[in-house]
């Protein structure tokens, strides 16, 4: 994906998320890692009304080169990209939203992971989602915590595709904005299922998880 294609794809994905209610107002942001820098949605931009030329373009150090001022969350996005350096499947796109159902699950400040493995597609498409304790939006120490989580899960042979910032929302990543969007959708819909289900469902048992790993190559 060249820069022009990346600009177009960020705008397309942003509009899709906005039109279907996965983002609202000026919440959320999307970035793409280029070979020589980053593209990211501008600060306080509505993802439903993005313009390719207005996207912020920075160098690899995060210094603005063109476009509207970059979202403050570029710092976190850069840490996510950098944390994957040398790891298999390094991402090319990161999406952050304030997803309603995901945020609802963190209003009592949970520890550990956001959700158990309750559906096969959550296991296959999302995987583990560790929860990061609350910090103010844009706090630089969040990047350190997320980078440490990426390294810890990688050391266990379990790559991450998402983290959940308490009371703020998920950050997800993949090879492209479209693929990251698919992770986000599956995560938000699983959070919705968990909130709706009464009583709470049991997690998939070990034999089912092992079968998913054997057939589809996913790792829990």
């Amino acid at each position: 994906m060249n820069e022009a294609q990346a600009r177009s794809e960020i705008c397309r994905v942003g509009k899709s998320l906005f039109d279907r209610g996965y983002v609202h107002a000026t919440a959320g942001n999307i970035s793409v890692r280029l070979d020589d820098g980053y593209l990211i949605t501008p600060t306080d931009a509505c993802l439903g009304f993005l313009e390719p030329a207005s996207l912020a373009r920075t160098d690899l150090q995060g210094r603005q080169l063109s476009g509207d001022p970059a979202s403050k969350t570029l710092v976190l996005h850069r840490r996510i990209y950098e944390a994957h350096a040398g790891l298999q499947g390094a991402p090319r796109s990161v999406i952050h939203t304030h997803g309603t159902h995901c945020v609802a699950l963190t209003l009592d400040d949970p520890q550990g992971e956001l959700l158990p493995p309750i559906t096969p597609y959550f296991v296959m498409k999302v995987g583990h989602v560790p929860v990061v304790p609350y910090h103010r939006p844009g706090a630089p120490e969040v990047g350190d915590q997320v980078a440490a989580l990426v390294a810890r899960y990688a050391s266990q042979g379990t790559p991450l595709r998402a983290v959940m910032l308490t009371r703020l929302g998920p950050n997800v990543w993949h090879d492209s904005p479209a693929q990251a969007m698919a992770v986000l959708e599956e995560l938000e819909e699983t959070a919705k299922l968990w909130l709706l289900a009464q009583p709470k469902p049991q997690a998939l048992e070990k034999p089912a998880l092992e079968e998913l790993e054997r057939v589809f190559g996913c790792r829990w």
Side-chain angles (χ1 to χ4, degrees):
M1 186 184 303
N2 61 34
E3 182 173 335
Q5 291 169 329
R7 287 177 180 273
S8 176
E9 189 68 352
I10 287 173
C11 295
R12 185 188 72 82
V13 166
K15 186 176 188 307
S16 176
L17 291 171
F18 181 82
D19 287 349
R20 294 179 295 130
Y22 286 100
V23 295
H24 60 276
T26 59
N29 41 74
I30 305 171
S31 71
V32 166
R33 178 172 61 87
L34 304 170
D35 291 339
D36 58 352
Y38 303 97
L39 290 171
I40 191 167
T41 49
T43 187
D44 291 328
C46 175
L47 297 192
F49 300 93
L50 299 170
E51 295 291 341
S54 297
L55 299 178
R57 173 73 154 89
T58 78
D59 62 15
L60 289 172
Q61 288 70 48
R63 293 178 295 227
Q64 183 106 14
L65 300 175
S66 63
D68 292 341
S71 168
K72 61 182 173 292
T73 57
L74 176 61
V75 174
L76 175 55
H77 287 226
R78 287 180 58 218
R79 289 304 303 275
I80 291 170
Y81 292 123
E82 292 165 358
H84 285 85
L87 299 178
Q88 186 176 6
R92 300 289 294 197
S93 182
V94 176
I95 298 178
H96 167 62
T97 72
H98 297 180
T100 302
H101 302 94
C102 286
V103 173
L105 292 179
T106 69
L107 295 180
D108 59 353
D109 299 318
Q111 306 295 312
E113 296 194 3
L114 184 66
L115 289 160
I118 58 172
T119 71
Y121 270 82
F122 177 72
V123 173
M124 294 160 57
K125 301 299 183 181
V126 183
H128 295 269
V129 185
V131 175
V132 178
Y134 175 78
H135 294 80
R136 66 164 174 81
E141 57 266 34
V142 173
D144 295 335
Q145 295 185 29
V146 173
L149 286 168
V150 170
R152 176 158 65 86
Y153 278 78
S155 71
Q156 299 167 359
T158 308
L160 287 181
R161 287 182 181 163
V163 296
M164 180 65 199
L165 308 185
T166 294
R167 298 177 182 252
L168 291 175
N171 279 263
V172 305
W173 50 86
H174 213 301
D175 293 338
S176 69
Q179 289 171 294
M181 177 171 62
V183 175
L184 177 72
E185 291 170 313
E186 195 66 41
L187 172 56
E188 181 67 10
E189 293 304 316
T190 307
K192 183 178 179 180
L193 283 173
W194 182 257
L195 287 168
L196 289 173
Q198 296 297 338
K200 296 305 180 193
Q202 295 294 314
L204 290 172
E205 296 183 353
K206 186 176 180 181
L209 296 174
E210 290 176 342
E211 182 184 29
L212 290 172
E213 181 175 355
R214 183 177 69 253
V215 176
F216 298 105
C218 55
R219 179 72 182 270
W220 183 261

